[in-house]
Amino acid sequence: MAEKGIITRVHTSPLALDAAAWNALLAQQAHATPFMRHEYLAALHASGSAVPATGWHPHYVTLEQDGCLIAACPLYLKEHSYGEYIFDWAWARAYQEHGLRYYPKALVAVPFTPVPGSRLLARDEAARTALLRAVVAWCEEQSLSSLHLLFGSEADMAACKSVGLMQRTTVQFHWKNLAPEGGRFRDFEHFLGALTQDKRKKIRQEQRRVRDAGVRFRWAHGSDIAAADWNFFYRCYERTYLEHGNPPYLSRAFFERMARDMPGAWLLFIAEREGKAIASSLIAVSAYPSSARDQNDFTFPPPAAYGRYWGALERVDSLHFDACYYQPLAWCIAHGFETFEGGAQGEHKMARALMPVATHSAHWLAHPAFADAVEHFLEREDAGMAAYVQELKAHTPFRVAAQRVPNP
């Protein structure tokens, strides 16, 4: 399609996109994350992790003007609702009960990655709105049931509102490197001192159990992560999924590409006992001082870390909490990182000082009656979610209740 000199294209593979142009557009966004890098999206496709065979059909949408990329977004047709972390199973079931087809549906999201950030990449707000309108028009042309934009940024949600998409609020738990008296935490002990006595005692007890079991941690970042460490991590990651009766979402080839194409985006913690590696947690980082060996580093301010993957070959009491929360938080404090995002769901994270924050999605349904029903449902859900967040915040783990936390 062409309108006012703007050309809309739909690409059936991220590998068909100009990587440099995509990444340059991403760098202009206020809420860019490593997970929207072309290298990350291309790895999901090239590794066989997010492809038609797994129910993810790529249809990336781009807007070009005078030969320049002015807007773009990842778009997938989905045959199921796995790997999304915004749950619409009830909507799909209601369609089925009324003899209507819900799948395939359209999704603007990063597969298997519930990290808030920019989804509609654009040079300005006009281009962002034009991109979203083009996506909705394409969904109508394809007679799709619905369009869903997941974990969008503030700018994305503003564009969705202007186009008339319904909005939904969910909750995640994020840690802020913000001491009650102001400034950042000096060290992990300073952080613990800001917590209530019972929370501080619990964390120390859990770390003591790990130490008493003879477990010690080491960490490596970027190109310092050895191939053997990547291989060990994947054994742990794969085992976690298989223990729950499911194959892992991400293939070994995906992480091989991450090690090759985005080394600076990864931080690995390995737990060892008597010199033997027994568990690991992989953290993504959005900013880190580039090293001469990491020529492909791409950093985004402010520095943030993202809890992503974990696994263990041996069971040790409290090891999961230490590997996935306490070690990363101590690292974030030591390296001046501002936030640590704990991923989807999990009220238990509040006991580790990760506080509730609102995350946002937007939805378009083609069927008028269902759209009306979902809109009323979302209004009730939103009111309940706001009350839920306020109730959670009333149980702050910090001694100083006035510590600043993100508002929903």
Side-chain angles (χ1 to χ4, degrees):
M1 296 183 295
E3 182 182 356
K4 297 180 181 178
I6 296 178
I7 300 174
T8 303
R9 303 186 193 277
V10 180
H11 310 263
T12 54
S13 168
L15 305 180
L17 302 169
D18 184 322
W22 178 283
N23 287 340
L25 194 61
L26 173 63
Q28 299 176 37
Q29 310 310 304
H31 198 169
T33 71
F35 311 104
M36 281 288 287
R37 286 277 292 175
H38 183 270
E39 292 89 340
Y40 188 89
L41 298 166
L44 288 169
H45 184 85
S47 68
S49 300
V51 293
T54 59
W56 296 78
H57 299 260
H59 291 77
Y60 281 52
V61 180
T62 61
L63 300 189
E64 299 175 12
Q65 189 172 46
D66 298 328
C68 295
L69 185 68
I70 65 168
C73 70
L75 178 69
Y76 291 89
L77 294 189
K78 289 291 305 297
E79 300 169 358
H80 53 66
S81 293
Y82 293 103
E84 299 175 14
Y85 305 94
I86 298 293
F87 304 110
D88 62 348
W89 299 105
W91 303 358
R93 186 166 54 251
Y95 266 66
Q96 183 180 16
E97 290 173 351
H98 286 80
L100 300 174
R101 187 182 68 173
Y102 190 70
Y103 302 108
K105 64 178 183 179
L107 197 72
V108 176
V110 181
F112 319 120
T113 310
V115 177
S118 299
R119 299 289 180 263
L120 303 172
L121 310 184
R123 69 180 182 186
D124 53 35
E125 298 311 312
R128 197 181 326 276
T129 301
L131 173 64
L132 184 57
R133 291 190 184 281
V135 170
V136 172
W138 186 83
C139 291
E140 291 177 326
E141 292 170 3
Q142 301 298 313
S143 299
L144 299 179
S145 70
S146 53
L147 167 68
H148 311 266
L149 187 150
L150 309 184
F151 300 105
S153 68
E154 183 178 343
D156 293 337
M157 292 302 106
C160 290
K161 182 177 181 180
S162 70
V163 175
L165 273 66
M166 299 174 286
Q167 300 201 13
R168 188 178 192 182
T169 301
T170 50
V171 173
Q172 288 188 354
F173 295 84
H174 298 175
W175 174 84
K176 293 287 185 180
N177 191 355
L178 182 63
E181 67 272 18
R184 295 174 176 171
F185 293 110
R186 295 187 301 273
D187 51 33
F188 195 69
E189 279 300 311
H190 183 206
F191 159 65
L192 289 181
L195 302 179
T196 59
Q197 192 274 341
D198 60 323
K199 297 296 188 294
R200 181 168 61 252
K201 179 179 178 181
K202 181 179 181 64
I203 291 174
R204 285 178 170 156
Q205 287 176 337
E206 289 174 340
Q207 288 197 298
R208 188 178 303 113
R209 293 189 192 110
V210 175
R211 289 196 305 271
D212 290 348
V215 176
R216 299 295 183 268
F217 285 91
R218 62 180 174 89
W219 63 267
H221 168 258
S223 295
D224 291 332
I225 304 176
D229 290 337
W230 278 109
N231 289 334
F232 173 74
F233 156 74
Y234 194 79
R235 285 177 59 200
C236 297
Y237 167 77
E238 182 179 46
R239 179 166 177 169
T240 297
Y241 275 85
L242 294 178
E243 286 179 346
H244 289 85
N246 300 305
Y249 280 140
L250 301 173
S251 68
R252 182 183 294 270
F254 169 80
F255 292 104
E256 290 173 350
R257 285 180 169 268
M258 289 294 93
R260 184 191 71 191
D261 299 338
M262 287 179 58
W266 300 102
L267 171 68
L268 182 64
F269 292 89
I270 293 183
E272 297 178 332
R273 180 160 58 183
E274 298 179 351
K276 176 186 175 183
I278 64 170
S280 63
S281 65
L282 186 65
I283 309 299
V285 294
S286 68
Y288 193 85
S290 299
S291 71
R293 289 176 294 173
D294 285 348
Q295 297 300 320
N296 292 324
D297 275 3
F298 193 93
T299 60
F300 300 95
Y306 310 88
R308 301 305 303 130
Y309 316 108
W310 136 271
L313 303 186
E314 297 182 14
R315 297 192 181 279
V316 175
D317 189 12
S318 303
L319 180 58
H320 171 264
F321 299 127
D322 208 356
C324 295
Y325 300 108
Y326 309 144
Q327 296 298 321
L329 291 186
W331 188 94
C332 285
I333 293 170
H335 293 82
F337 273 52
E338 295 187 10
T339 62
F340 175 78
E341 299 187 11
Q345 290 89 47
E347 290 183 13
H348 68 279
K349 295 170 185 173
M350 281 192 67
R352 282 89 200 170
L354 280 71
M355 297 298 291
V357 298
T359 55
H360 305 282
S361 61
H363 309 269
W364 169 87
L365 277 70
H367 194 288
F370 270 98
D372 185 63
V374 168
E375 183 173 25
H376 284 87
F377 163 76
L378 291 179
E379 289 174 354
R380 296 191 301 272
E381 184 185 59
D382 188 62
M385 191 63 64
Y388 170 65
V389 171
Q390 291 305 315
E391 180 181 359
L392 287 175
K393 288 184 176 181
H395 296 85
T396 175
F398 290 95
R399 287 191 299 109
V400 180
Q403 198 224 21
R404 299 185 296 267
V405 295
N407 290 318

